[in-house]
Amino acid sequence: MASLSLRRERIISEHDAVGCIADGMTIAIGEPHPMALVRHIIRRGLRNLTVIGSGLALDILIAAGCVRKVISYYAGGGYWVPVAPAFRRAAEAGLIEVWECEEGILTSGLEAAGKGLPFLPWRGGVGTSLPQVNPDLKVFSDPINGETLIAVPAIIPDVTLLHAAESDAYGNVRHCGGPGWIDLFLHRAARRTIVQVEKVISNEEIRSNPWATTINSGVDICRMPYGAHPFYSRGYYVQDKPLVAEYFSAANVGGAELGHFLDTYCREPQSHAEYLTAIGIKRLLDLHEY
Amino acid sequence: MASLSLRRERIISEHDAVGCIADGMTIAIGEPHPMALVRHIIRRGLRNLTVIGSGLALDILIAAGCVRKVISYYAGGGYWVPVAPAFRRAAEAGLIEVWECEEGILTSGLEAAGKGLPFLPWRGGVGTSLPQVNPDLKVFSDPINGETLIAVPAIIPDVTLLHAAESDAYGNVRHCGGPGWIDLFLHRAARRTIVQVEKVISNEEIRSNPWATTINSGVDICRMPYGAHPFYSRGYYVQDKPLVAEYFSAANVGGAELGHFLDTYCREPQSHAEYLTAIGIKRLLDLHEY
Amino acid sequence: MNTEIPVEQTQSCSVQEIMAVFLARDLVDGEQLQVGVGLPVPEAAVRLAHLMHGPNMELIFLGARMNVAHLDSIPLPQFGWDRRVVRWAESYSDTGHRFDHVNDWAKRVFFVGGIQVDPQGNTNLIGIGEDHRRLKFRGPGSVGTPTLTTHVGRYYIVLNTHTARTFVPKCDFISTVGWGDGDPNARSKLGLPGGGPRYCVTPLCVMDFTESPKRLRLRSVHPGVCVDEVRDHTGFDLVIPDEVPITALPTPAELTVLRERVDPGGLLRSPN
Amino acid sequence: MNTEIPVEQTQSCSVQEIMAVFLARDLVDGEQLQVGVGLPVPEAAVRLAHLMHGPNMELIFLGARMNVAHLDSIPLPQFGWDRRVVRWAESYSDTGHRFDHVNDWAKRVFFVGGIQVDPQGNTNLIGIGEDHRRLKFRGPGSVGTPTLTTHVGRYYIVLNTHTARTFVPKCDFISTVGWGDGDPNARSKLGLPGGGPRYCVTPLCVMDFTESPKRLRLRSVHPGVCVDEVRDHTGFDLVIPDEVPITALPTPAELTVLRERVDPGGLLRSPN
């Protein structure tokens, strides 16, 4: 009888996870944000990335100078932050290129990649400026009825980084209360997916409810408790609102104040454990979800 | 405070469920098969239906003379029944039209309907005879890369009939161990969906694990314990292999023997309860899944 | 904007509360109400409608579908992506298939904001400027508004401010098509199945659209706002009827439900 | 077809068992093995490979993905859609997205049958006849074979019978493209990313393909079958090398695992 131990485990270190990303690659960032891996990217000083992402994770990567091109449907920060500040400044200065899109167009491009198709058609965006400001989107006449649609080319991330609640050691992932809306699209479109999880659970627990498995095997796992902090992690903790506000405030000012934030929270801690030490256990425990 | 009782329940009788189907409509049949509603269609003697379906449910509807056109990727009966007999006989005699397709093409057409698109492109089938024998499938050159693909027109069932494990009274459906692979495509494409369930459970039970809800509201529910018999119902019972074999054997012979089967099991019982009475409790209890 | 407005002598309310109540009354039982992240007025409106007269409504937040009319309270989120608001959901299945069932959206209602709105109700979340590569003001992006407004039965344009910089003769970029060039058939000519924008609600007033051509028209001004103030803060010639009523005030019952069961934290009364 | 063939003097085995063992040995650890409904030989082959040498294989049945190398037994299904076979699954998530991740199928392996097979390995599940509206023999339909064979890293053609009516010079209809017109670039010219058919396995023999043009070639005959028998039962000129070996027999260890842990019910030894 084959021994269970012959099955390869898929757990890797944060160092190895980010080690597979090179300057100039296209990386996709899920929601909730895999902030621990995002911080590691900043620590390593990666450059010229194309980032498929939104909100806080996208903005802090731009703030740290890692980004050349943005594929985003939304670069705001929720309540009270209508436009993410580093994104806004870099875009207005022409320092980043924006591949203008929207949710249905983005998921169509990702779905095309997953389905092995050069494109998928989409109706949302017909009549808007999106095809003018993004020449990769082609307005065309459908071959069946002749209706006007937008052809969205396949979007293929080199690496997709996600945050989830749990997985087993073999890469069977379970999101508590469901994945973020775009995460599974980002996974299926990508050449490689790395999922940071709050907790590694037994394979038996996965098998006890296979229907709950949201991503099955083929992905690498980083064990990162509190790894989405200061963002939320469904079923574990809510946003650390003051720290998110501190970031957006520093990003609004820019310059030394933003640099100080990035040094303190991203560059000086040499690992996720050092980051959590800097944040402090009390603060983390206060963020319980319910 | 608004009273919970003001919320409309969605439970209807088998009579009302089939009452919304008229001669000539396009109906889709899920898997596991909603056999109780299929038998009610035969009892009512509906004619000229276009049926999107497979296997046993499809074949028995053809055997009963309800079908004019078949949209199917597979009309076999699993082990030992390579081709479903009534389907085969009717197709060879030219009594039914077959919209030739395959699984990816069918789901693409259904997905196009759900997405409000006139078509979706698909690669599977390129180079095969499918576009020749089904002129609705258009081979075209994609507007981005010029690759050869098949344009699949939207497929829109008038009514989709499904069988599932459980739902609440408001149409929140839960499949035990996941829905059949095509069921959710059939649901999203359809103008109307009716789901027959083994069991109606409380709304609180649905809310206790929202991620398990596979179809959310907007569908009507028929309470049909053992409603997939003689087919399987995941988590409840396995196939009634002798009765399935009895059907295929009668269908192979055709004529009076097939007529007798249809009379006995479909036409004479005037309701699902009468059908179950005819089958007998002992036989039903012997089909437990594990 | 947050001047206190007397309600039946005994209560006062904020403009945001008036906006939320106006919207709530316009929503019909049985509809699906979808609100994006960071829009407190529509967030409050759909909760209020659900509790007041919508036991068969479905609220769609963050990919979850809910019917929660039986709850004691349906509080507003405390920040964007506050997933505690969906803890009573009946399903999350919108998540993987949120855009796979748009053929069912005739009964869905949506709300959009914008950094620019033109007389035909086209809106812009992309940015302000002439050259997309060097915008003068970079907006947040279109989120899902192009797809949503393409398919939903109707939608509302809801803004936090009402200025001549927002209400412009022509959007620099269009992220959602309202009535295009104003032709009542503009949407069907583009193949957009949804019903288009119904009202535009701002801290000053409510606007609807004339029949043909489709063009924004003042429908009511909020208490304490005069017609000239709206005109002065609108960057194009708004259609203004001879008689412009005052936007109806919340009833005491509505205000009680709004404050006790929807917005106990007073978000709609805060100056922010 | 079910003549008993001696294995190392002490055991005998059926042709189906030889076919299953041949296929099992060709499967590589780490691969994803997908089998459709109603194909006992491939069903047995993937189970056997998983238990013998594939602790990192994934078995895909009925929309579920499984790694079950640690189980005492992985019995064959007792009928089509016997969902008990997936009770040990780690996920069912293939269900809603079975064709949404085909870009990952280079490591996936699949098995197809057919009512006709031509020399280039194109197969037909549609029917036999000239006019699609009045077929002489109506087949079951293409199931998912066109999509699967378009994308999987490689596939095997596995048949229950070997006759001149099945192996024809030209399929009346093509449901899966093997090597098209025989050009080794035929698949890439059509834009089909998958690796195409590798072997064709029947109750008489194993066939592979010549390099250029691609054409079915006899690779081995099963014990007790002679080359002429294969030739006589093939409706086209099969490429036949000078030396044709006998298909390797199962080892006692393979036969033990196959019979005790995969096929305790003896499905592969039954005459049906």
Side-chain angles (χ1 to χ4, degrees):
Chain A
M1 180 172 168
S3 157
L4 184 59
S5 66
L6 294 177
R7 192 172 177 193
R8 273 188 303 275
E9 298 196 349
R10 301 293 301 250
I11 296 176
I12 63 175
S13 69
E14 61 185 299
H15 199 84
D16 288 345
V18 175
C20 74
I21 305 173
D23 288 349
M25 275 189 175
T26 296
I27 63 166
I29 312 279
E31 188 252 283
H33 302 322
M35 292 304 296
L37 292 176
V38 166
R39 282 186 289 268
H40 202 104
I41 288 171
I42 293 172
R43 195 177 303 142
R44 274 198 48 209
L46 287 169
R47 312 282 296 178
N48 292 319
L49 299 175
T50 292
V51 175
I52 306 170
S54 67
L56 178 65
L58 172 64
D59 207 57
I60 201 167
L61 284 168
I62 296 171
C66 303
V67 183
R68 191 191 62 76
K69 181 176 171 185
V70 168
I71 298 180
S72 180
Y73 56 94
Y74 176 63
Y79 283 19
W80 306 293
V81 184
V83 191
F87 166 79
R88 181 182 160 187
R89 199 161 41 231
E92 290 173 1
L95 298 175
I96 54 170
E97 181 190 341
V98 179
W99 198 86
E100 199 79 42
C101 62
E102 60 99 46
E103 293 178 342
I105 288 176
L106 179 55
T107 51
S108 294
L110 295 167
E111 215 175 324
K115 287 179 166 168
L117 293 167
F119 88 107
L120 277 174
W122 196 243
R123 198 188 296 277
V126 168
T128 72
S129 305
L130 291 173
Q132 281 95 62
V133 299
N134 183 343
D136 287 346
L137 305 176
K138 299 258 187 291
V139 176
F140 78 113
S141 187
D142 96 75
I144 303 277
N145 287 351
E147 297 178 26
T148 300
L149 301 171
I150 292 175
V152 185
I155 299 170
I156 305 175
D158 291 305
V159 182
T160 283
L161 304 176
L162 304 177
H163 181 87
E166 306 163 347
S167 80
D168 68 7
Y170 307 115
N172 291 297
V173 177
R174 223 186 236 195
H175 286 79
C176 179
W181 75 271
I182 202 173
D183 284 24
L184 301 188
F185 291 94
L186 297 174
H187 161 56
R188 290 190 294 259
R191 297 199 167 89
R192 178 172 182 177
T193 298
I194 299 166
V195 185
Q196 58 168 61
V197 297
E198 294 291 338
K199 203 174 155 184
V200 174
I201 60 176
S202 73
N203 180 255
E204 286 74 11
E205 197 165 337
I206 289 288
R207 286 186 208 276
S208 73
N209 185 8
W211 178 244
T213 303
T214 45
I215 296 178
N216 52 24
S217 60
V219 301
D220 292 310
I221 301 296
C222 277
R223 204 171 65 86
M224 295 282 204
Y226 288 102
H229 182 270
F231 216 54
Y232 73 91
S233 178
R234 178 93 181 102
Y236 283 80
Y237 43 90
V238 296
Q239 245 183 73
D240 187 336
K241 203 169 145 187
L243 191 58
V244 170
E246 189 182 330
Y247 166 73
F248 280 124
S249 160
N252 254 324
V253 177
E257 191 161 333
L258 177 55
H260 177 70
F261 183 98
L262 293 171
D263 287 345
T264 306
Y265 293 108
C266 301
R267 296 186 180 122
E268 283 162 14
Q270 291 304 300
S271 67
H272 182 52
E274 285 187 28
Y275 171 82
L276 292 182
T277 305
I279 296 297
I281 287 173
K282 184 182 178 316
R283 181 165 189 160
L284 295 171
L285 294 184
D286 283 348
L287 298 169
H288 66 284
E289 187 179 284
Y290 289 105
Chain B
M1 183 171 167
S3 158
L4 184 59
S5 66
L6 294 176
R7 192 173 178 192
R8 273 188 303 276
E9 298 194 350
R10 302 292 301 252
I11 297 176
I12 63 176
S13 69
E14 61 186 297
H15 199 83
D16 288 345
V18 176
C20 74
I21 304 174
D23 287 350
M25 275 191 174
T26 297
I27 64 165
I29 312 278
E31 187 251 286
H33 302 322
M35 291 305 296
L37 292 176
V38 166
R39 282 185 288 267
H40 202 103
I41 288 172
I42 293 171
R43 195 175 304 141
R44 275 200 47 211
L46 286 168
R47 311 283 295 177
N48 292 318
L49 298 175
T50 293
V51 175
I52 306 170
S54 67
L56 178 65
L58 172 65
D59 206 57
I60 202 168
L61 283 168
I62 295 171
C66 303
V67 182
R68 193 192 59 78
K69 181 175 171 185
V70 168
I71 298 181
S72 180
Y73 55 95
Y74 177 63
Y79 284 21
W80 306 292
V81 185
V83 190
F87 166 80
R88 181 182 161 189
R89 198 160 42 231
E92 290 174 1
L95 298 175
I96 54 170
E97 181 190 340
V98 180
W99 197 88
E100 199 79 42
C101 62
E102 61 99 44
E103 292 178 343
I105 288 175
L106 180 55
T107 53
S108 294
L110 295 167
E111 215 175 324
K115 287 180 167 170
L117 293 167
F119 87 107
L120 275 174
W122 196 243
R123 199 188 295 277
V126 168
T128 72
S129 306
L130 291 173
Q132 280 96 62
V133 299
N134 182 343
D136 287 346
L137 305 175
K138 298 257 187 291
V139 175
F140 78 111
S141 187
D142 96 74
I144 302 278
N145 288 350
E147 297 178 25
T148 299
L149 301 171
I150 292 175
V152 186
I155 300 168
I156 306 175
D158 291 305
V159 182
T160 283
L161 304 176
L162 305 177
H163 181 86
E166 306 163 345
S167 80
D168 68 7
Y170 307 114
N172 292 297
V173 177
R174 224 185 234 192
H175 285 79
C176 180
W181 75 272
I182 203 173
D183 284 23
L184 302 188
F185 290 94
L186 296 175
H187 161 55
R188 290 190 295 259
R191 296 199 167 88
R192 180 172 181 176
T193 298
I194 300 166
V195 185
Q196 57 168 60
V197 296
E198 294 291 339
K199 202 173 156 187
V200 174
I201 60 176
S202 73
N203 181 254
E204 287 73 12
E205 197 165 337
I206 288 289
R207 286 185 208 277
S208 73
N209 185 10
W211 179 244
T213 304
T214 44
I215 296 178
N216 52 25
S217 59
V219 300
D220 292 311
I221 301 295
C222 276
R223 205 171 66 84
M224 294 285 204
Y226 288 101
H229 184 271
F231 217 55
Y232 73 91
S233 177
R234 178 92 181 102
Y236 284 79
Y237 43 90
V238 297
Q239 244 183 74
D240 187 337
K241 202 169 145 187
L243 191 57
V244 171
E246 189 182 331
Y247 166 73
F248 281 123
S249 160
N252 253 326
V253 176
E257 189 160 336
L258 176 55
H260 177 70
F261 184 98
L262 294 170
D263 286 345
T264 306
Y265 293 108
C266 300
R267 295 190 179 118
E268 282 161 14
Q270 290 305 300
S271 66
H272 181 53
E274 286 187 27
Y275 171 82
L276 293 183
T277 305
I279 296 298
I281 287 174
K282 185 183 178 315
R283 181 167 189 160
L284 296 171
L285 294 185
D286 283 347
L287 298 169
H288 66 285
E289 187 179 286
Y290 290 104
Chain C
M1 296 289 169
N2 282 278
T3 42
E4 297 286 304
I5 295 149
V7 180
E8 296 198 2
Q9 279 79 46
T10 58
Q11 287 185 287
S12 62
C13 65
S14 74
V15 168
Q16 282 84 349
E17 288 175 328
I18 289 174
M19 294 165 72
V21 168
F22 172 82
L23 288 167
R25 289 182 189 169
D26 209 51
L27 305 175
V28 179
D29 191 26
E31 293 180 325
Q32 296 176 354
L33 312 171
Q34 178 164 355
V35 185
V37 160
L39 300 164
V41 166
E43 294 252 28
V46 301
R47 287 165 165 83
L48 180 61
H50 193 32
L51 290 172
M52 292 297 295
H53 66 270
N56 295 289
M57 287 176 176
E58 289 181 338
L59 275 44
I60 303 178
F61 303 134
L62 297 169
R65 288 170 71 145
M66 301 183 290
N67 178 304
V68 285
H70 61 292
L71 289 182
D72 279 336
S73 70
I74 322 174
L76 292 176
Q78 290 177 28
F79 41 80
W81 304 280
D82 185 348
R83 289 194 162 257
R84 292 173 296 185
V85 303
V86 301
R87 69 176 83 164
W88 317 281
E90 292 172 341
S91 77
Y92 295 118
S93 39
D94 235 32
T95 306
H97 295 285
R98 72 188 327 205
F99 295 145
D100 285 353
H101 205 179
V102 303
N103 52 340
D104 189 39
W105 285 7
K107 62 181 173 189
R108 193 172 284 210
V109 176
F110 188 61
F111 305 85
V112 297
I115 55 179
Q116 291 181 326
V117 180
D118 75 15
Q120 290 77 35
N122 305 301
T123 64
N124 173 12
L125 283 167
I126 296 171
I128 296 173
E130 279 169 26
D131 180 358
H132 179 258
R133 289 163 301 178
R134 293 299 288 269
L135 294 168
K136 291 194 201 102
F137 175 80
R138 170 67 232 192
S142 306
V143 207
T145 61
T147 291
L148 265 298
T149 58
T150 291
H151 293 282
V152 292
R154 68 175 187 282
Y155 64 94
Y156 299 89
I157 303 169
V158 183
L159 301 184
N160 300 324
T161 56
H162 189 138
T163 72
R165 282 174 43 201
T166 307
F167 287 93
V168 294
K170 191 170 178 305
C171 292
D172 290 351
F173 303 94
I174 292 176
S175 52
T176 73
V177 178
W179 293 106
D181 59 5
D183 179 346
N185 299 316
R187 292 183 61 89
S188 56
K189 283 182 183 167
L190 288 168
L192 310 180
R198 178 169 161 90
Y199 293 133
C200 176
V201 182
T202 78
L204 296 185
C205 64
V206 174
M207 291 164 276
D208 60 7
F209 291 86
T210 54
E211 277 308 306
S212 182
K214 291 283 191 182
R215 210 180 148 84
L216 275 173
R217 169 176 60 194
L218 188 58
R219 186 177 186 274
S220 69
V221 290
H222 301 332
V225 177
C226 67
V227 171
D228 282 348
E229 190 180 347
V230 175
R231 199 192 324 259
D232 292 349
H233 286 81
T234 304
F236 55 79
D237 282 341
L238 185 64
V239 179
I240 299 181
D242 293 340
E243 299 282 323
V244 179
I246 308 288
T247 311
L249 287 178
T251 65
E254 286 167 330
L255 221 47
T256 301
V257 173
L258 182 60
R259 291 180 178 174
E260 293 180 7
R261 300 176 61 194
V262 171
D263 186 23
L267 193 66
L268 299 191
R269 295 168 67 79
S270 72
N272 202 324
Chain D
M1 295 289 170
N2 281 278
T3 42
E4 296 285 303
I5 295 149
V7 179
E8 297 199 359
Q9 278 78 46
T10 57
Q11 288 184 288
S12 62
C13 65
S14 73
V15 167
Q16 281 84 348
E17 288 175 328
I18 289 175
M19 293 166 72
V21 168
F22 172 83
L23 288 167
R25 289 182 189 170
D26 208 51
L27 305 175
V28 179
D29 191 25
E31 293 180 326
Q32 296 175 355
L33 312 171
Q34 178 163 354
V35 185
V37 160
L39 300 165
V41 167
E43 293 252 26
V46 302
R47 287 165 164 83
L48 179 62
H50 193 32
L51 290 171
M52 291 298 294
H53 64 269
N56 295 289
M57 287 176 174
E58 289 180 339
L59 274 44
I60 303 178
F61 304 135
L62 297 169
R65 287 169 71 145
M66 302 183 290
N67 178 305
V68 285
H70 62 292
L71 289 183
D72 278 336
S73 72
I74 323 174
L76 292 177
Q78 289 176 30
F79 40 80
W81 305 278
D82 184 350
R83 289 195 162 257
R84 293 173 295 185
V85 302
V86 302
R87 70 176 83 167
W88 318 280
E90 292 171 342
S91 78
Y92 295 118
S93 39
D94 235 32
T95 307
H97 296 284
R98 71 188 327 205
F99 295 145
D100 286 353
H101 204 179
V102 302
N103 52 341
D104 189 39
W105 285 8
K107 62 181 171 189
R108 192 172 287 209
V109 176
F110 188 60
F111 305 85
V112 298
I115 54 179
Q116 291 182 325
V117 179
D118 74 16
Q120 291 77 36
N122 304 301
T123 64
N124 173 12
L125 283 167
I126 294 171
I128 296 173
E130 278 169 28
D131 180 358
H132 179 259
R133 289 163 300 179
R134 294 300 289 268
L135 293 167
K136 291 195 203 102
F137 175 80
R138 171 67 232 193
S142 307
V143 208
T145 61
T147 291
L148 266 298
T149 57
T150 292
H151 293 283
V152 291
R154 69 174 186 283
Y155 65 93
Y156 300 88
I157 302 169
V158 183
L159 300 185
N160 299 325
T161 55
H162 190 137
T163 71
R165 280 175 45 201
T166 306
F167 287 93
V168 293
K170 192 169 179 303
C171 292
D172 290 351
F173 302 95
I174 292 176
S175 53
T176 73
V177 178
W179 293 106
D181 59 6
D183 179 348
N185 298 315
R187 292 183 61 89
S188 56
K189 282 181 184 166
L190 286 169
L192 310 181
R198 178 169 161 92
Y199 293 134
C200 178
V201 182
T202 77
L204 296 185
C205 64
V206 175
M207 292 164 274
D208 60 8
F209 291 87
T210 54
E211 277 309 304
S212 183
K214 291 284 191 181
R215 213 181 145 82
L216 275 173
R217 170 175 60 193
L218 187 59
R219 186 178 187 273
S220 69
V221 288
H222 301 332
V225 178
C226 67
V227 171
D228 282 348
E229 189 180 350
V230 175
R231 201 194 320 260
D232 292 348
H233 286 81
T234 304
F236 53 80
D237 282 340
L238 184 64
V239 179
I240 300 181
D242 294 340
E243 299 282 322
V244 179
I246 308 288
T247 310
L249 286 178
T251 65
E254 285 168 330
L255 220 47
T256 301
V257 173
L258 182 60
R259 292 182 177 174
E260 293 181 7
R261 301 176 61 193
V262 170
D263 186 23
L267 193 66
L268 299 191
R269 295 167 67 78
S270 73
N272 200 325

